[in-house]
Amino acid sequence: MLGNVGSGGDAEGNDRGTGDEPFRKRVGPPRPIAPATLVYGRGMLGADDVLDPPPRRVLVAGTAGVGKTTVAGRIARAIGAPHTEIDGLYHGPGWTVRPTFVQEVDAFTSAPAWVTEWQYRSVRALLVDRADTLVWLDLPKPVAFWRLLRRTVRRRLQRTELWNGNVEPPLWTFVTRREHILRWGIATRNETRRRVPALADSAPHLRIVRLRSQREAERFVDRLQAGTEYNRRRPPP
């Protein structure tokens, strides 16, 4: 089951009735679809659409806490590509920005296959230029906020070490710091919802897959895995 939080997330389930229940089903070989099929809006695909050719350079987008890193890891395993957690390249000790961040992103995205999260202004355009597919986790606002809140509280109470020795700040800093992750997640949700659809025009080479629930995320990853296994078993032409 896909985790319900972002980087470092767990695999807890959701309350019934959220539209976000874990979903598993047996899937067979992918069914072909017409290349012009559009789902959920112009230029966007959905969980049941086959990506042909299969994705090799994948971005996972979404607001803070929706599960980008967990889903990115699952996609990487499904397609046999390395997953680089971009937060780990960005954050240095004391929440400073690592000076080699842009160079390291440039290096790993020069490879023929990779998966990472679509974040950080300084590399966002580079990532889009080099990716062939973007997976957008566009979960309902209450679900996204609950996941972020639960993750933040758990990390703080458990003093979970994140990247390069960093830990979540005290919970009361939600009131005093505008950059607190909870306030950041609330403030940037609409930015993500504007930024991703705009790529249909600005990055026509990029396939965008919009997933609006945990159920769709599960189904999409299952289909990727099934397609990879099918292609491995298929005899060469």
Side-chain angles (χ1 to χ4, degrees):
M1 183 180 69
L2 293 179
N4 292 335
V5 295
S7 53
D10 59 19
E12 298 171 18
N14 295 289
D15 293 336
R16 297 187 62 183
T18 63
D20 194 45
E21 301 88 341
F23 176 79
R24 304 289 290 178
K25 64 179 288 186
R26 184 177 180 182
V27 292
R31 56 178 177 79
I33 61 167
T37 299
L38 303 180
V39 181
Y40 303 140
R42 185 178 61 165
M44 293 193 189
L45 302 170
D48 296 317
D49 290 331
V50 174
L51 303 180
D52 186 18
R56 300 300 295 157
R57 301 178 302 280
V58 183
L59 298 172
V60 180
T63 191
V66 294
K68 295 186 296 295
T69 300
T70 303
V71 172
R74 284 285 308 277
I75 291 173
R77 290 190 291 275
I79 67 174
H83 169 223
T84 298
E85 185 178 1
I86 203 166
D87 280 330
L89 300 183
Y90 184 83
H91 294 295
W95 297 107
T96 57
V97 180
R98 298 177 66 248
T100 57
F101 172 62
V102 174
Q103 293 91 329
E104 290 178 5
V105 172
D106 177 64
F108 86 77
T109 57
S110 297
W114 47 265
V115 181
T116 194
E117 302 79 28
W118 192 45
Q119 297 181 170
Y120 302 114
R121 183 181 298 110
S122 58
V123 295
R124 203 174 277 135
L126 171 66
L127 292 170
V128 166
D129 285 345
R130 295 184 178 177
D132 59 50
T133 304
L134 182 142
V135 177
W136 179 20
L137 300 178
D138 187 26
L139 305 188
K141 187 174 182 179
V143 174
F145 180 74
W146 169 244
R147 289 184 174 190
L148 179 59
L149 175 63
R150 183 175 58 189
R151 185 190 77 176
T152 302
V153 171
R154 187 188 67 250
R155 284 179 171 179
R156 178 58 191 173
L157 294 180
Q158 296 178 356
R159 301 296 193 274
T160 303
E161 183 175 324
L162 302 174
W163 311 278
N164 295 304
N166 296 307
V167 296
E168 293 283 6
L171 296 176
W172 57 262
T173 58
F174 169 79
V175 179
T176 60
R177 296 184 184 177
R178 187 169 63 177
E179 70 275 13
H180 189 281
I181 188 62
L182 289 174
R183 296 177 66 173
W184 177 262
I186 295 170
T188 58
R189 174 177 170 81
N190 289 337
E191 291 182 17
T192 302
R193 293 177 67 85
R194 289 191 298 267
R195 187 177 290 128
V196 173
L199 294 174
D201 293 324
S202 64
H205 70 283
L206 189 68
R207 295 175 295 193
I208 303 174
V209 181
R210 186 181 184 187
L211 305 175
R212 300 190 294 178
S213 69
Q214 181 80 19
R215 182 185 295 266
E216 289 191 357
E218 293 281 355
R219 197 161 69 240
F220 174 74
V221 174
D222 277 349
R223 291 184 64 81
L224 278 184
Q225 182 67 51
T228 299
E229 294 174 354
Y230 176 76
N231 289 331
R232 287 171 179 168
R233 294 194 303 265
R234 185 171 57 182

